[in-house]
Amino acid sequence: MASNRYLVGFDSQNTFHRFTDILIIGAGIAGLRAALEVDPKLSVLVATKDRITESNSSYAQGGLAGVLSPEDTFENHVEDTLIAGDGLCHRDIVEQVVHEAPAEIEKLIDWGTKFDIENGSLALTREGGHSHRRIVHALGDSTGFEVMRAIIATARNRPNITLWDDTILIDLLTDAGECVGAIVSRNGMGKFLIWAKQVILAAGGCGMVYRETTNPAVATGDGMAAAYRAGAELRDMEFMQFHPTVLYVAGSARYLISEAVRGEGAYLRDINGERFMPATDPRAELAPRDVVARAIFRTMERTQHPNVYLDLSHLDPAMVCHRFPGINRVCKGFGLDITKDRIPVRPGDHYMIGGVTVDNRGRTTLPGLWACGEVSSSGLHGANRLASNSLIEGLVFGALCGRGAMEAATGKRQERIALSLSYSIPQPDNNDQLDLADMTASLRALMVRKMGIVRERSRLLEAVQDVGFWCRYVLTREFDNREGWELQNLLIIARLMIDAAIKRNESRGTHFRSDFPARDDVNWGLRHNSAPRREDLF
């Protein structure tokens, strides 16, 4: 099956055009941090898929990790990150991000972020995998909301930054092996070709590829899939991090229960009320996420119960309510008192660790294209992300991308030219109407069953057949709506994830193979899993 280079046909001679010095796809913390780094003399267009407040960054509960306490050191934070990353982190990248984190947190404060204060200083908490209290937070457990409030307000006050919401990335434009812009669809206005001297991809993750997810509905892997079609390298797509504790009430929306709940002392118990983490890992509930998620999975299998429980009843009720007002409010909606009642939780997919390969400046393998945040693979997280390192990575690499793209754009010619580009998609022999919602639901359910927390070769091969079948008659079609493009992107992402999981015959970090349960440093030590070329896979 030959998949299409572009999802839609177009002709630059009869399409709307927009010109900018720097185009940024995505308005989460990474994208807006990149925009704020650009010299005001250059024009910046930030395009985001939904409302500007609708990003994974806005939903972040826990906080940002940084060495801000005299009891803590950069070496401690580096070592914690390396341990969590299970042998796949790039030490130079870890050291770079850890050392720059405090300054980035100070910038957020300068831009108006109101972090929680305790005794006149920044309140610091501890989360799983961290050896010290180093997590700054805001509004108790609504850190992302407060950080994004401040950074959005700052971006809106910059005259060189234009914000486009309701703008869907369809594809990245390339010419002569270089990224020169993007095809987007604006709500009610049709397709646009945006031409840019440099493009920064900050389009977030792909959590909607799974049925159980903490991600908002916009997280359909559009940026990763578009970069892949454009020829940029993707890697480590087998490493999807599952958050151990997602509120599980049958029939309701899933809601993240922050890592910080366990950081403040909550216990995990099975249906019989027994704690199971102390027997699993010496760090008990403070073990890294991959360890805790697998322990919960095994406990659910052992007890044949659909969830486990978080217990905060032994903690000070006043502290619990003050520290976790958002979680308390949501649980109250289900008749749960978090100071007394056990909270039903189970793992849900949370964060894609793999993505578009970038170097230590945020450059991808495609000239003219930069990437930062969850869409990228920088080497910081290795095989398992340490809690609260993601927002910091978005800030540090957002700044790097903004700076690098600004320098590259400054060196380019000043005239603005719409290149003569076109692409046509042949109509398939069978053009029957597809039930896109049903196909999307089927894909997401399959990923839970066959590409979940515990994987095994035979089930992965079954998934290849199933997803491959869907790809054959979906990826060759042309859609004119968001649902169709999202399904095509999710199918590409799913296929890449499954392929990577089959190749990595070991267990490391978030990737666990029951048929290869041990880590294999002989064959896989510090080895990344690069995605095959589009022509070779589809």
Side-chain angles (χ1 to χ4, degrees):
M1 177 200 74
S3 68
N4 297 319
R5 159 63 183 93
Y6 292 98
L7 294 186
V8 296
F10 65 94
D11 187 337
S12 61
Q13 300 301 312
N14 54 26
T15 308
F16 293 114
H17 299 280
R18 174 73 185 233
F19 297 89
T20 186
D21 291 320
I22 295 173
L23 169 63
I24 300 176
I25 304 294
I29 196 168
L32 291 183
R33 180 65 186 89
L36 291 170
E37 191 68 14
V38 176
D39 190 299
K41 296 176 183 176
L42 296 181
S43 60
V44 178
L45 174 58
V46 181
T48 185
K49 184 175 179 179
D50 207 297
R51 293 168 297 146
I52 195 169
T53 54
E54 193 71 5
S55 68
N56 268 351
S57 300
S58 294
Y59 285 87
Q61 290 182 352
L64 299 90
V67 177
L68 301 166
S69 164
E71 288 81 31
D72 198 4
T73 65
F74 289 133
E75 290 73 21
N76 288 333
H77 192 175
V78 167
E79 191 61 27
D80 291 345
T81 302
L82 294 174
I83 291 171
D86 207 8
L88 203 62
C89 297
H90 293 201
R91 178 179 277 273
D92 60 331
I93 299 296
V94 175
E95 292 177 346
Q96 178 183 9
V97 173
V98 165
H99 280 78
E100 293 183 23
E104 289 297 328
I105 292 172
E106 286 298 325
K107 273 197 177 70
L108 290 179
I109 295 171
D110 291 342
W111 289 335
T113 304
K114 294 179 173 58
F115 289 113
D116 293 341
I117 302 295
E118 192 173 83
N119 298 324
S121 302
L122 287 172
L124 301 176
T125 191
R126 183 182 174 193
E127 296 180 354
H130 288 275
S131 59
H132 292 73
R133 286 183 171 266
R134 63 169 69 101
I135 316 300
V136 295
H137 47 84
L139 305 178
D141 54 4
S142 298
T143 305
F145 177 85
E146 169 59 16
V147 168
M148 292 308 299
R149 179 202 61 76
I151 204 168
I152 288 170
T154 304
R156 281 178 168 153
N157 285 328
R158 297 285 178 92
N160 68 313
I161 298 175
T162 300
L163 302 174
W164 274 12
D165 55 10
D166 290 321
T167 303
I168 301 170
L169 170 67
I170 301 175
D171 264 304
L172 296 171
L173 288 167
T174 52
D175 181 60
E178 183 176 357
C179 185
V180 293
I183 311 171
V184 304
S185 175
R186 291 208 75 192
N187 186 27
M189 299 176 66
K191 285 183 290 190
F192 280 76
L193 300 184
I194 304 177
W195 305 95
K197 295 177 182 178
Q198 298 289 300
V199 178
I200 299 174
L201 195 59
C206 55
M208 292 301 289
V209 77
Y210 284 92
R211 185 185 63 214
E212 306 280 349
T213 182
T214 64
N215 288 194
V218 295
T220 51
D222 307 336
M224 294 175 193
Y228 181 70
R229 288 190 296 272
E233 180 187 87
L234 272 65
R235 70 182 182 191
D236 296 341
M237 296 297 287
E238 67 271 38
F239 294 116
M240 170 62 81
Q241 185 176 70
F242 291 82
H243 197 288
T245 53
V246 178
L247 179 65
Y248 180 73
V249 178
S252 74
R254 303 298 179 249
Y255 188 86
L256 177 67
I257 304 296
S258 170
E259 192 96 15
V261 174
R262 285 180 287 118
E264 294 291 353
Y267 295 148
L268 280 165
R269 300 187 185 275
D270 64 19
I271 181 61
N272 301 310
E274 299 297 324
R275 285 182 70 193
F276 52 87
M277 282 309 302
T280 302
D281 189 283
R283 294 163 290 188
E285 281 82 4
L286 289 177
R289 289 176 175 177
D290 60 318
V291 175
V292 179
R294 283 195 296 274
I296 292 174
F297 177 82
R298 294 191 191 99
T299 300
M300 287 162 53
E301 281 198 326
R302 173 176 55 81
T303 60
Q304 290 297 291
H305 193 66
N307 57 270
V308 296
Y309 298 89
L310 270 172
D311 181 9
L312 294 80
S313 61
H314 56 288
L315 302 176
D316 175 42
M319 182 278 291
V320 168
C321 293
H322 174 74
R323 182 67 180 82
F324 305 111
I327 294 171
N328 186 33
R329 183 171 58 253
V330 169
C331 288
K332 274 186 176 179
F334 296 103
L336 294 171
D337 180 346
I338 64 172
T339 67
K340 300 176 182 177
D341 300 325
R342 297 185 302 173
I343 306 171
V345 294
R346 61 182 291 164
D349 101 288
H350 183 57
Y351 189 92
M352 170 50 80
I353 292 167
V356 183
T357 305
V358 297
D359 66 10
N360 62 358
R361 294 186 62 196
R363 293 175 295 200
T364 75
T365 61
L366 178 63
L369 180 67
W370 308 70
C372 49
E374 191 174 354
V375 76
S376 69
S377 171
S378 68
L380 171 66
H381 305 308
N384 179 50
R385 178 175 68 91
L386 181 65
S388 291
N389 269 358
S390 54
L391 294 182
I392 286 299
E393 180 193 35
L395 289 168
V396 171
F397 270 86
L400 289 168
C401 285
R403 202 173 308 136
M406 174 182 65
E407 293 168 358
T410 302
K412 286 208 165 189
R413 62 173 184 258
Q414 293 305 307
E415 64 266 26
R416 298 182 171 187
I417 300 173
L419 300 175
S420 180
L421 295 180
S422 64
Y423 187 79
S424 61
I425 298 176
Q427 291 297 311
D429 295 333
N430 181 359
N431 202 24
D432 293 341
Q433 192 75 20
L434 298 180
D435 187 335
L436 299 178
D438 181 63
M439 289 195 65
T440 303
S442 297
L443 172 65
R444 298 177 67 202
L446 175 142
M447 291 294 284
V448 172
R449 294 194 312 272
K450 299 181 180 181
M451 183 63 191
I453 295 173
V454 176
R455 302 157 183 176
E456 188 267 330
R457 181 176 176 79
S458 65
R459 295 180 68 78
L460 292 172
L461 292 176
E462 291 172 3
V464 168
Q465 295 299 315
D466 294 337
V467 175
F469 175 65
W470 292 329
C471 286
R472 282 193 293 275
Y473 68 89
V474 174
L475 296 187
T476 54
R477 295 179 181 241
E478 181 176 8
F479 296 97
D480 61 358
N481 57 68
R482 170 174 170 169
E483 291 76 16
W485 300 326
E486 288 180 337
L487 173 59
Q488 289 177 313
N489 289 329
L490 287 171
L491 283 169
I492 290 171
I493 295 302
R495 185 67 182 83
L496 293 175
M497 292 175 66
I498 296 163
D499 179 77
I502 291 172
K503 287 179 180 175
R504 187 174 285 275
N505 293 327
E506 66 157 355
S507 290
R508 183 184 297 269
T510 64
H511 172 67
F512 186 82
R513 286 277 300 268
S514 59
D515 46 349
F516 292 95
R519 185 171 125 175
D520 180 2
D521 286 333
V522 174
N523 296 306
W524 286 99
L526 274 178
R527 182 176 158 195
H528 292 285
N529 210 344
S530 295
R533 297 182 308 166
R534 180 175 56 90
E535 297 82 0
D536 297 333
L537 190 64
F538 293 101

